[in-house]
Every structure is written in C-alpha cells, then in structure tokens.
Amino acid sequence: MRSVVLRTWILCWLVLVWILLWGTFSAANVLSGLAVATLITWLLPLPAVPVEGKVHPLSLIRLILTVAYRLVLSSIQVALLSLKPRPPLSAVLRAQLSVKSDLVLSLAVVIFNLIPGSIVLEIDQTRRLLYMHVIDVGSDRALSAFYHQVAVIERLLVRTFERPEDWRPAHEEVEL
C-alpha cells in the first residue's frame, strides 16, 4: 500500500513539473506529462531508501520553526556583516553529528546549506563529519554560536526522526 501511494505521489509530482515547464494547463499537457512521468518512473526507478525511525509531528513542527528562525536570524547577521568596513574572518570548520540514518544526515546537510553564512563543503559519511565553510568566525563567541546552532539542529533532527525508542535499523549487521 505504501509503495502504491509513493508511486502515485511521484507520478503526480512529475506531471505537475511537466505542466509548469510547459506553462499552460491543458488536457494535452496533463496526458503527455502522465506519459513522460510513467516512462521516467519505469525506465529510471529510484532506489529504495531505508527509513528506520518514525516522524514525530510535534518535533517536526519545532524543527521547522527553529530552522525558519535561524534562516531569518542568519540572513540579518549576514546583511549586517556586509555593512562592516572590513571583510569578516571565515574558516572551514568540522562538525561531528551523531545522526544514524543517511537520510537524516542528508536532511541536516540541506538545512545547513539553507542557513545563510555557512555551506557544507564535504561530508564524511562513515564518521558523520561535516566540513562547513562559515562566515564570521573572528571571535570565540561566533565560534560557539556556530557549534551551538549545529547542536540545536542535530538535537531536533534526532528528536524528530531518530528517537532511540523508535529506532529499528533496516539492515542489522550479523556477527559470526
């Protein structure tokens, strides 16, 4: 049942993108979009993504609100930095995450890339390390604010998707 809903969602999404690309809503665009979407999903199927935890809606709302707040706050900070007479000191910093799922790690990277003032340059998937270019690291306060932001986002991601009581690894390693 879940796979049928997911496939239907993907088809509808691809048809919508097709209609938006053509710029007009017509029966011909809907039918041709459905044909192209069916062909794409049949010839180029997406790999199955293992989902080990479950989503907690209240934590998800808190995550969304926190990210929105960080977006606004960081945008203001970057705008203020542009008004300073000398350029800010920037650096590449390493952040250790304790997320378990590759899907949640990818979501963390997307969130950090959205927030102005930092961008993920490299991901060490096995050690869960992110190397990020960060603007304005000229003081201990700015460094601690960056690491605090990473810790807050990480904690919210774990509370939303990877609570220990809900965690069921999709593929457990067997020891011999």
Side-chain angles (χ1 to χ4, degrees):
M1 177 65 181
R2 184 177 180 184
S3 66
V4 172
V5 171
L6 183 61
R7 287 179 189 263
T8 305
W9 165 252
I10 291 171
L11 281 175
C12 291
W13 177 253
L14 289 173
V15 170
L16 176 66
V17 169
W18 182 263
I19 292 168
L20 291 174
L21 285 172
W22 282 98
T24 57
F25 183 80
S26 67
N29 280 345
V30 172
L31 291 175
S32 62
L34 189 58
V36 169
T38 304
L39 190 66
I40 287 173
T41 56
W42 182 61
L43 291 176
L44 306 167
L46 293 173
V49 177
V51 178
E52 291 93 355
K54 68 180 189 179
V55 177
H56 294 271
L58 292 177
S59 295
L60 179 62
I61 291 169
R62 187 168 180 201
L63 174 67
I64 291 169
L65 291 175
T66 301
V67 169
Y69 170 74
R70 295 284 178 176
L71 286 170
V72 172
L73 181 64
S74 295
S75 296
I76 292 169
Q77 290 170 342
V78 170
L80 290 175
L81 283 174
S82 70
L83 297 175
K84 287 188 175 181
R86 61 179 179 78
L89 180 64
S90 63
V92 175
L93 301 176
R94 180 178 62 205
Q96 175 78 47
L97 298 181
S98 61
V99 297
K100 301 171 190 153
S101 165
D102 288 343
L103 187 61
V104 176
L105 180 64
S106 299
L107 185 57
V109 169
V110 168
I111 289 171
F112 291 129
N113 282 339
L114 281 175
I115 296 174
S118 68
I119 188 162
V120 177
L121 300 174
E122 186 177 341
I123 305 165
D124 185 343
Q125 184 180 1
T126 56
R127 294 187 297 171
R128 299 296 195 230
L129 292 173
L130 299 180
Y131 294 91
M132 295 192 277
H133 181 267
V134 181
I135 297 175
D136 190 27
V137 292
S139 68
D140 289 338
R141 182 176 176 215
L143 278 174
S144 64
F146 166 74
Y147 285 115
H148 176 74
Q149 172 178 296
V150 169
V152 167
I153 299 296
E154 176 188 19
R155 187 171 52 250
L156 288 171
L157 284 169
V158 169
R159 290 206 44 78
T160 304
F161 301 108
E162 296 184 341
R163 290 186 183 178
E165 63 268 16
D166 298 330
W167 185 254
R168 303 282 184 269
H171 53 297
E172 294 184 22
E173 294 181 22
V174 179
E175 291 186 31
L176 298 174

